[in-house]
Amino acid sequence: PQIRQKEPGKCPLCGMDLIPASKAGNSTNPMVHEMTPEAIAMANIQTTKVKAGGTTNELHLTGKIQVNEHMISSITSKFSGRVENLHIHFEGQQVQKGQRIASIYSPELINTQRELLEAVKMKNVAPEIYEASKQKLRYWKITEKQIDHIETSGNVVSTMDVFAESSGVITRRQVSTGDYVSTGSILFEVANLNPVWVILDAYESDLSSIRIGTLVTFTVPSLPGREFTTKVSIIHPLIDPVSRVVAVHAEVPNPENTLKPEMLVNARINTAHDSNDKGIAIPASAVLWTGKRSLVYVKKMNGPMPAFERREITLGPKSGDLYIIEKGLNEGEEVVTNGVFTVDASAQLSGNYSMMSTPENKSIEVPDAFREQLT
């Protein structure tokens, strides 16, 4: 394009016939590139008019069903001793609150029972000693029914039962028959699966569309035909350094235990952008992104010839296949959405500014007082 002569001829560099300057366009603005209607038709260049108004799109995410960490509890031994018998045999077994799960032989409990039986004999004389003996057993989570049985029978119970304090599913077993346990030792871990968590993986670019309380609809491949609805309850504050995703939590009721941990889910979130995002959106295919700046080509009429103006814009959040425009475009303007790379390449061959070439900005920001003095 830099080779220009006053008469027809050949290019001294490559030997090709020179194109008449009148057909190559007569725009003096390097930001505007003219193209003939024939060239536009051959390149299948299409434009879309910029419209105002909020945008609504669906954001598709994947994730898993996970145990709700708020519903996890541990069954611990309240006294030391030897595990004589286990009534829970495998992980995954369902337990109910109050269910007997283990029997433990505890020498210190045997001594405490003897103290109680001695105190029963003198409860009319020293009621405070009698109550203190019963209270000592209560501290070890011995139930009133067990205490009454000891007191009524007058016999020491050699093994004491441990009961589940919550309902759920056994997710971890840490003892076996014959093990010695100390006070506070964890016997089992119980997880209540109602409700459960849906943990979705969201990329950084998706976070602008997700808020606490955002509606989430998801399906599970193992439950075809069923659709579940919930709301975002937690957005994890940290990004995973390996996968570069953020965990988004939503709580789901699960009264029938149909949703099981580690099930895969496919979720969609309706993302809406209001007037705070300027209300202008264009298709993502219209944007040329160089890493430093974002460009679009706006259709103009430069006299009788169609032309396309190179325009730098400021992008907002992405919503599906649309970009919210914060600066650089006005409602009613037409942007190239198909063939934008062709327009850019043609502009580059014509010597105009393109995606990879931009005018050097030598302006300096100065105070208004300086501008007035200069004027």
Side-chain angles (χ1 to χ4, degrees):
Q2 73 274 17
I3 304 300
R4 294 181 179 270
Q5 295 182 0
K6 295 181 180 180
E7 56 187 4
K10 295 184 180 294
C11 173
L13 297 179
C14 64
M16 295 180 64
D17 292 333
L18 297 179
I19 300 173
S22 59
K23 293 184 179 181
N26 54 10
S27 175
T28 58
N29 186 350
M31 294 291 188
V32 177
H33 174 62
E34 294 180 355
M35 294 182 69
T36 63
E38 294 80 5
I40 293 175
M42 290 183 64
N44 193 24
I45 295 172
Q46 300 174 9
T47 61
T48 299
K49 187 169 289 188
V50 178
K51 295 181 180 180
T55 61
T56 302
N57 272 277
E58 287 187 349
L59 180 64
H60 293 270
L61 302 176
T62 59
K64 288 183 179 180
I65 302 293
Q66 296 286 3
V67 175
N68 190 334
E69 293 182 7
H70 298 155
M71 308 299 291
I72 297 176
S73 59
S74 297
I75 300 176
T76 60
S77 175
K78 307 303 186 292
F79 42 84
S80 59
R82 182 180 69 247
V83 178
E84 290 292 312
N85 192 14
L86 285 179
H87 306 288
I88 300 296
H89 304 290
F90 56 89
E91 294 180 357
Q93 187 171 345
Q94 188 82 28
V95 296
Q96 300 297 327
K97 184 177 181 180
Q99 180 178 339
R100 184 175 62 166
I101 63 169
S103 299
I104 298 177
Y105 169 78
S106 175
E108 58 182 345
L109 266 182
I110 291 177
N111 293 333
T112 306
Q113 291 179 69
R114 289 171 178 166
E115 291 176 7
L116 174 63
L117 294 178
E118 291 297 326
V120 169
K121 299 176 183 179
M122 48 187 299
K123 65 178 179 180
N124 295 327
V125 179
E128 65 279 0
I129 297 178
Y130 168 69
E131 285 300 326
S133 299
K134 292 177 68 175
Q135 187 61 40
K136 191 173 182 181
L137 289 171
R138 293 190 189 106
Y139 286 145
W140 278 323
K141 298 296 181 180
I142 307 301
T143 64
E144 293 295 333
K145 184 178 179 180
Q146 290 173 302
I147 295 174
D148 291 342
H149 174 72
I150 296 169
E151 187 175 345
T152 304
S153 65
N155 296 321
V156 173
V157 180
S158 59
T159 60
M160 196 64 68
D161 292 330
V162 178
F163 299 92
E165 298 179 10
S166 60
S167 301
V169 175
I170 299 295
T171 57
R172 187 170 59 175
R173 192 188 82 168
Q174 296 196 190
V175 293
S176 300
T177 302
D179 287 350
Y180 282 85
V181 294
S182 57
T183 303
S185 297
I186 297 177
L187 307 179
F188 299 95
E189 191 175 86
V190 180
N192 192 331
L193 299 183
N194 182 30
V196 293
W197 270 346
V198 176
I199 302 183
L200 305 174
D201 295 331
Y203 289 98
E204 297 176 60
S205 58
D206 301 330
L207 293 179
S208 59
S209 304
I210 304 174
R211 301 285 187 273
I212 300 296
T214 300
L215 192 66
V216 178
T217 304
F218 69 92
T219 58
V220 180
S222 58
L223 300 172
R226 296 195 61 178
E227 193 172 76
F228 303 87
T229 302
T230 181
K231 291 183 178 180
V232 174
S233 54
I234 300 173
I235 300 176
H236 204 280
L238 303 178
I239 296 177
D240 189 291
V242 178
S243 61
R244 305 303 302 168
V245 298
V246 177
V248 177
H249 297 225
E251 194 173 83
V252 185
N254 189 32
E256 300 175 2
N257 286 348
T258 54
L259 297 174
K260 305 184 185 303
E262 298 301 321
M263 277 185 170
L264 300 176
V265 302
N266 298 308
R268 64 179 187 273
I269 297 177
N270 287 329
T271 62
H273 299 279
D274 52 24
S275 57
N276 293 333
D277 294 315
K278 306 292 184 182
I280 293 179
I282 62 173
S285 61
V287 180
L288 291 175
W289 188 68
T290 67
K292 296 182 179 179
R293 53 189 176 273
S294 301
L295 310 174
V296 295
Y297 278 94
V298 181
K299 185 177 181 180
K300 300 282 188 181
M301 289 305 296
N302 192 33
M305 293 282 288
F308 300 97
E309 178 187 355
R310 173 190 178 279
R311 184 89 59 86
E312 290 194 19
I313 60 172
T314 302
L315 294 179
K318 189 177 182 182
S319 177
D321 294 331
L322 300 176
Y323 269 117
I324 306 299
I325 303 303
E326 295 183 349
K327 183 180 178 182
L329 285 175
N330 298 313
E331 182 184 359
E333 292 185 308
E334 289 187 51
V335 295
V336 178
T337 53
N338 187 66
V340 61
F341 280 102
T342 303
V343 175
D344 186 80
S346 180
Q348 186 174 3
L349 290 174
S350 299
N352 293 333
Y353 292 126
S354 63
M355 178 177 67
M356 302 308 296
S357 63
T358 185
E360 184 179 358
N361 184 5
K362 295 184 178 180
S363 61
I364 301 174
E365 292 295 329
V366 296
D368 292 338
F370 178 83
R371 295 177 182 272
E372 292 177 1
Q373 293 175 6
L374 184 62
T375 303

